[in-house]
């Protein structure tokens, strides 16, 4: 990283720590930032649920008063009409409060600007369709419930009920309905004992827990559909369920597609495969979107500095570090006879497949860092609004094709619609 940029980052961090948040706001005063407006014909409503799986003990955290696995679930759904032209719902206030207290540098750099989204809590569900297909969403390992709001709002505006799932103590922050906070970073720090996640068993162990989380939510959705007190009573088309996720959530989407017949199609946004039996073929349509920066990292030899960073000392250890990403995904694509698409988004970083991509527009310093050092924030040099547009377009085309049985020129045309996309596999 350039010395001037490094000095600037340290200065901002020190200012954040030494001054009160009100002073920082004066230093960082900016107009509000608005998420991209959903392109579909529906308004978007949201509903929050707090569900407890009494069949499972919480093994990642000990709390005698709350011994069972608890999940926060957020549902984005097609609503009757837009009530205003500009968004007014604050973006993920629980996450912003968490970073403001726990990581002032991250808050100042990324989240200090007032940010608004379009979805409105508790709007009436649209009535022009009798039922809506369902798409589950799972965030990345250190992600949070709203970390892919741009994608969830987009899909809901096009007539899908999108069910966002949390994974407490693996996600960065989960705020339960009684205001308890599940602090994932604190939990992970304690569990990892200083060992990098990629070189520990934590990801594989958690993969089993996440799979059970998804199955529990699928069961709850079946109950909601039959509950005449629910706004989703008889409104869910549970014969057409898809799932997408980012990073670990993307791995989970492929895993649940292989294990649960209720999932008809799955999308992995730049996720390596963890806890996954690669020998088990997926007999469902799948799509993988990969970050160009990640593909380049995996295809080139690592430098000596990178060997030090990842504490590896041999070519065999380097191959093991990389094996769950490109080698595993390529092998999976080759093993299935079903429709399997793999696309690479050029100049994208890992977090460009989440709302972090939009921080390059909301925070100029984030854009500067992404342009000069993609490894620091795991963002690429691609324009944040452009990569969000691309991800939204591919998700919509894929789910329209396999959940609504519509044709997809974007997926099946020989001519690329986006210069930023490279086709790695299509069958």
């Amino acid at each position: 990283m350039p010395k001037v940029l490094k000095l600037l980052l340290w200065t901002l961090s020190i200012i954040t720590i030494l001054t009160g948040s009100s002073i920082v706001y004066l230093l960082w005063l900016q107009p509000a930032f608005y998420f991209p407006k959903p392109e579909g014909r529906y308004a978007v409503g949201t509903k929050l649920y707090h569900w407890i799986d009494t069949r499972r003990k919480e093994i990642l955290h000990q709390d005698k008063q709350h011994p069972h696995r608890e999940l926060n679930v957020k549902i984005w759904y097609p609503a009757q009409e837009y009530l205003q032209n500009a968004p007014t719902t604050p973006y993920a206030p629980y996450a912003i409060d968490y970073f403001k207290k726990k990581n002032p540098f991250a808050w100042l750099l990324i989240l200090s600007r007032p940010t608004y989204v379009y979805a409105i809590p508790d709007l009436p569900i649209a009535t022009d369709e009798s039922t809506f297909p369902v798409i589950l969403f799972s965030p990345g390992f250190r992600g949070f419930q709203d970390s892919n709001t741009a994608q969830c709002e987009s899909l809901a505006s096009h007539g899908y009920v999108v069910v966002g799932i949390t994974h407490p103590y693996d996600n960065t922050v989960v705020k339960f309905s009684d205001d308890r906070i599940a602090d994932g970073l604190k939990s992970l720090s304690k569990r990892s004992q200083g060992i990098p996640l990629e070189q520990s068993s934590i990801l594989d162990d958690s993969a089993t827990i996440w799979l059970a989380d998804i199955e529990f939510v699928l069961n709850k959705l079946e109950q909601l559909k039959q509950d005449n007190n629910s706004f989703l009573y008889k409104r869910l088309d549970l014969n057409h369920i898809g799932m997408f996720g980012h990073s670990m959530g993307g791995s989970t989407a492929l895993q649940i597609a292989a294990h649960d017949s209720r999932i008809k199609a799955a999308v992995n946004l730049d996720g390596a495969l963890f806890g996954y039996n690669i020998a088990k073929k997926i007999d469902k349509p799948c799509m993988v979107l990969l970050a160009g920066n990640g593909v380049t990292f995996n295809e080139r030899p690592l430098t000596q500095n990178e060997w030090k960073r990842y504490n590896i000392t041999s070519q065999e250890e380097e191959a093991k570090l990389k094996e769950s990403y490109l080698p595993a995904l390529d092998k999976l694509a080759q093993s299935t006879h079903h429709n399997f698409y793999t696309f690479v988004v050029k100049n994208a970083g890992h977090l460009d497949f989440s709302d972090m991509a939009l921080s390059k527009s909301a925070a100029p310093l984030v854009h500067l860092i992404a342009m000069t050092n993609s490894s620091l924030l795991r963002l690429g040099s691609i324009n944040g609004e452009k990569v969000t547009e691309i991800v939204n377009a591919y998700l919509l085309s894929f789910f329209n094709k396999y959940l609504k049985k519509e044709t997809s020129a974007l997926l099946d045309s020989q001519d690329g619609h986006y210069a930023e996309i490279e086709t790695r596999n299509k069958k």
Side-chain angles (χ1 to χ4, degrees), residues 36-104:
K37 188 172 183 177
E39 328 85 61
R41 64 190 179 95
Y42 293 104
V44 180
T46 58
K47 185 80 171 178
L48 292 174
Y49 290 93
H50 177 189
W51 290 335
I52 302 174
D53 187 352
T54 55
R55 301 171 306 166
R56 290 190 295 157
K57 296 289 186 180
E58 178 57 79
I59 64 175
L60 301 181
H61 180 74
Q62 301 302 314
D63 183 345
K64 292 182 180 180
Q65 292 184 325
H66 305 91
H68 296 104
R69 183 69 168 169
E70 301 179 55
L71 301 181
N72 265 16
V73 173
K74 183 173 184 176
I75 297 181
W76 289 262
Y77 57 88
Q80 288 281 53
E81 59 184 351
Y82 284 107
L83 301 181
Q84 75 281 320
N85 292 323
T88 58
T89 305
Y91 175 70
Y94 65 93
I96 292 174
D97 287 344
Y98 173 87
F99 284 109
K100 189 174 180 181
K101 296 173 184 176
K102 298 287 186 176
N103 193 331

Side-chain angles (χ1 to χ4, degrees), residues 290-307:
L290 297 174
N293 289 359
V295 171
T296 298
F297 176 86
N298 271 254
E299 290 184 332
R300 66 167 172 79
L302 299 188
T303 66
Q304 289 300 313
N305 286 336
E306 288 168 333
W307 275 30

